[in-house]
């Protein structure tokens, strides 16, 4: 049996197995063997070569605790002091995986062997692990997804529309603007209108936000530029189509817009007695929804995720373990 | 004596001596020796190491014919067919130099030994040759500057303000825009206002134009960018200070503007009986003005200048020679 006394050591053990997205095989093997050794019925679901999700069940589950086992680069080995565990994945999301394992083990030892564990690959890029997991059987009533939410229950997160915007023009000497057609001028005109556009606000999810993350165009001050481009991301609170249509309409006659990814805004189950909040980042929840009704919570802060000093508080880890048990009990 | 029968051969000879800006020594030597051999009193005015202007006089001059002997890169050797002379500098401005030499020789052989010749380096970059030449004595009544104007008399050209615009912000994950401050958003906001700004029009020089020649900023769609920059050039019709002040006022609170070069709009002498026009490019005239009242005309088209197929029509060259003689006669 794995219990709360193993929580910190298990977190560090998981952090110390490098698992940047695309290279999750070793950490998957470790989890498979650990859980099998502790009496779980385990299966590997291959997602791509040497990358697989791990599903661990006792009897037919009604609740799944799930998180991802990939991390962003670069690998950072674990460390700890009195308060924190450090290292890549400490909070996003290997500490969470450890807390879920301990919670599920304790619940099974009590009376809840209907709680399953699902660890997926690929969350940090295209959710390919979660998309594959959605095809697993059995389905469950509730899926508790773990991401660092400071142990608050997240009742919604924004969706996203990612797009590439390109403008074309005709190059010319800057002394003869009538002979040229500035791609940068068209791009700026469009982006200014987009940034000033008043998108509607959602009462729960709040305000949509537009990020122009990257711009590039032109060669020199004295040449009218014939090409320019921008990479944009809209954090959405309405269905994606609404934003895609708005952006395409704004771009008409000025720029070409190629939508590269969309993901719908999500609303999750609220539970009495848990602090609620809305977050600004995306998760595997849209992909996992076919498995069961989603909830989202976990120890750790999103603001430590992806940083060179990634960490998780030991106190938060233990609270997270208890929180997962409490959520399962309250879901009934 | 060098006359119109030498015009095409002299043009090709000059084209075939490479003289990209910074490397004008060889073509300067050639002109010095050619003119000295033909009885001109020649002087070299050193501008920087191995680069010098050539001034050639008979008696005390009242008019100077002047053009530049540097070219843009790359060197392209001469060629010709029935209609055209080809090669780097054919129209900008070695054909013009040849036409001026033939015109001055013919004028001197007639009765006008008060016409001097001045060939300067560095026009294609920072006008360092013309700025040095402005310190030469004697001063003259009129300076006829040669650039490819299709043999029209240019009565004005726009000035310019060149600037670098930079915006700073705070990087953050795009899910939490309130934690970041987008440098790109500030840059776009400013540039959109600048491009939409209604600058006053001049009755002779026309409309000022703003070129945003280059933009860059940010790293990826999902990161709020902490830096962004643009290179801009305004073709001006009012004093530079007016534009600098306007741009600085528009940028306040959004961007830093560093002015890297200014050059004032120019008005030149008009003469009865010559087609007049305004051009969009800059010349050495602002720098040469201390030498005498400027005029601007020359054979060839600016739209052939700086191109891989640079050329000048043989017919235009001969017309240019005659035009220079006619201008000198009309100036009295």
């Amino acid at each position: 049996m794995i219990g709360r006394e193993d929580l910190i050591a298990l977190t560090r053990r998981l952090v110390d197995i490098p698992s940047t997205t695309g290279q999750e095989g070793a950490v998957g093997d470790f989890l498979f063997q650990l859980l099998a050794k502790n009496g779980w019925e385990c299966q590997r679901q291959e997602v791509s070569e040497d990358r697989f999700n791990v599903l661990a069940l006792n009897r037919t589950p009604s609740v799944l605790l799930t998180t991802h086992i990939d991390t962003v680069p670069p690998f950072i080995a674990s460390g700890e002091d009195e308060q924190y565990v450090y290292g890549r994945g400490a909070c996003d999301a290997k500490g969470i995986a450890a807390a879920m394992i301990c919670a599920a083990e304790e619940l099974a030892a009590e009376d809840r062997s209907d709680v399953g564990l699902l660890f997926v690959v690929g969350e940090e890029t295209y959710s390919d692990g979660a998309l594959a997991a959605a095809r697993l059987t059995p389905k469950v009533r509730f899926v508790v997804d773990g991401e660092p939410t400071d142990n608050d229950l997240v009742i919604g997160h924004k969706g996203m529309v990612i797009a590439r915007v390109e403008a074309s023009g005709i190059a010319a000497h800057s002394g003869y603007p009538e002979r040229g057609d500035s791609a940068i001028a068209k791009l700026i005109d469009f982006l200014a209108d987009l940034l000033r556009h008043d998108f509607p606000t959602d009462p729960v999810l709040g305000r949509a936000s537009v990020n122009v993350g990257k711009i590039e165009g032109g060669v020199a001050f004295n040449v009218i530029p014939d090409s320019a481009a921008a990479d944009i991301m809209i954090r959405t609170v309405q269905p994606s189509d609404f934003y895609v249509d708005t952006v395409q309409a704004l771009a008409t006659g000025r720029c070409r817009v190629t939508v590269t990814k969309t993901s719908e805004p999500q609303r999750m189950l609220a539970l009495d007695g848990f602090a609620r909040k809305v977050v600004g980042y995306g998760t595997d929840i849209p992909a996992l929804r076919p498995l069961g009704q989603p909830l989202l919570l976990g120890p750790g802060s999103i603001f430590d995720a992806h940083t060179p000093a990634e960490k998780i508080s030991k106190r938060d880890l233990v609270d997270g373990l208890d929180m997962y048990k409490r959520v399962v009990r309250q879901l009934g």
Side-chain angles (χ1 to χ4, degrees), chain A:
Chain A
M1 147 126 199
I2 309 159
R4 62 188 60 226
E5 63 284 1
D6 304 306
L7 180 53
I8 304 305
L10 179 56
T11 297
R12 290 195 59 175
R13 186 78 186 82
L14 290 171
V15 168
D16 284 331
I17 303 171
S19 63
T20 301
T21 312
Q23 298 167 316
E24 301 97 332
V27 78
D29 277 331
F30 173 82
L31 286 168
F32 184 95
Q33 284 159 29
L34 175 75
L35 292 166
K37 200 170 62 186
N38 280 273
W40 293 77
E41 188 179 311
C42 295
Q43 59 172 287
R44 294 166 205 253
Q45 179 189 30
E46 187 169 25
V47 176
S48 66
E49 201 182 336
D50 292 329
R51 300 173 65 234
F52 52 91
N53 297 331
V54 176
L55 178 68
L57 304 177
N58 285 306
R59 66 175 173 83
T60 304
S62 61
V63 181
L64 275 181
L65 303 181
T66 183
T67 191
H68 61 93
I69 55 177
D70 64 318
T71 70
V72 295
F75 170 71
I76 304 168
S78 76
E80 71 176 284
D81 58 21
E82 207 169 319
Q83 275 193 287
Y84 294 102
V85 175
Y86 300 90
R88 177 60 71 224
C91 71
D92 188 17
K94 289 175 171 177
I96 292 170
M100 285 180 161
I101 290 168
C102 296
E105 279 272 284
E106 291 189 7
L107 284 163
E110 295 163 11
D111 59 344
R112 292 295 299 263
S113 54
D114 63 328
V115 178
L117 290 163
L118 171 64
F119 298 109
V120 301
V121 299
E123 192 271 344
E124 296 293 358
T125 55
Y126 302 107
S127 292
D128 59 349
L131 288 163
R135 297 190 298 269
L136 287 170
T137 51
K139 306 308 179 201
V140 293
R141 285 193 304 143
F142 302 105
V143 174
V144 181
D145 189 25
E147 289 283 352
T149 72
D150 300 296
N151 285 323
D152 293 336
L153 197 62
V154 171
I155 57 167
H157 69 68
K158 293 176 185 175
M160 63 176 112
V161 171
I162 302 171
R164 173 92 172 160
V165 182
E166 291 167 305
S168 297
I170 300 167
H173 188 280
S174 63
Y176 293 89
E178 69 283 3
R179 291 185 161 237
D181 179 27
S182 170
I184 289 178
K186 288 190 273 192
L187 183 69
I188 287 169
D189 203 51
F190 162 73
L191 291 175
D193 285 349
L194 178 64
L195 287 167
R196 292 168 186 176
H197 191 78
D198 191 21
F199 287 105
T201 295
D202 178 87
V204 172
L205 298 177
R207 181 173 293 282
S209 66
V210 176
N211 184 45
V212 181
K214 190 172 181 183
I215 52 170
E216 60 200 324
V219 292
F221 62 81
N222 60 347
V223 179
I224 294 175
D226 64 358
S227 73
D231 293 314
I232 67 169
M233 182 183 212
I234 307 178
R235 296 285 179 166
T236 63
V237 300
Q238 310 277 331
S240 297
D241 283 352
F242 169 75
Y243 299 93
V244 171
D245 292 349
T246 303
V247 169
Q248 294 285 13
L250 284 172
T252 302
R254 300 189 282 197
C255 301
R256 285 182 309 287
V257 176
T258 308
V259 175
T260 50
K261 185 178 175 184
T262 62
S263 157
E264 300 306 319
Q266 299 293 318
R267 282 150 215 273
M268 282 76 83
L269 195 63
L271 290 176
D272 288 341
F274 286 83
R276 298 169 188 190
K277 72 176 173 196
V278 165
V279 295
Y281 53 89
T283 67
D284 273 343
I285 283 181
L288 294 172
R289 205 171 270 275
L291 284 178
Q293 191 170 0
L295 295 89
L296 177 63
L297 91 166
S301 166
I302 191 66
F303 301 116
D304 291 322
H306 301 200
T307 68
E310 183 169 347
K311 67 180 192 294
I312 192 163
S313 136
K314 293 178 176 180
R315 171 66 186 272
D316 274 7
L317 273 174
V318 177
D319 286 349
L321 188 166
D322 287 325
M323 202 72 81
Y324 287 130
K325 291 180 70 176
R326 211 178 118 208
V327 166
V328 168
R329 296 275 175 209
Q330 194 153 337
L331 289 170

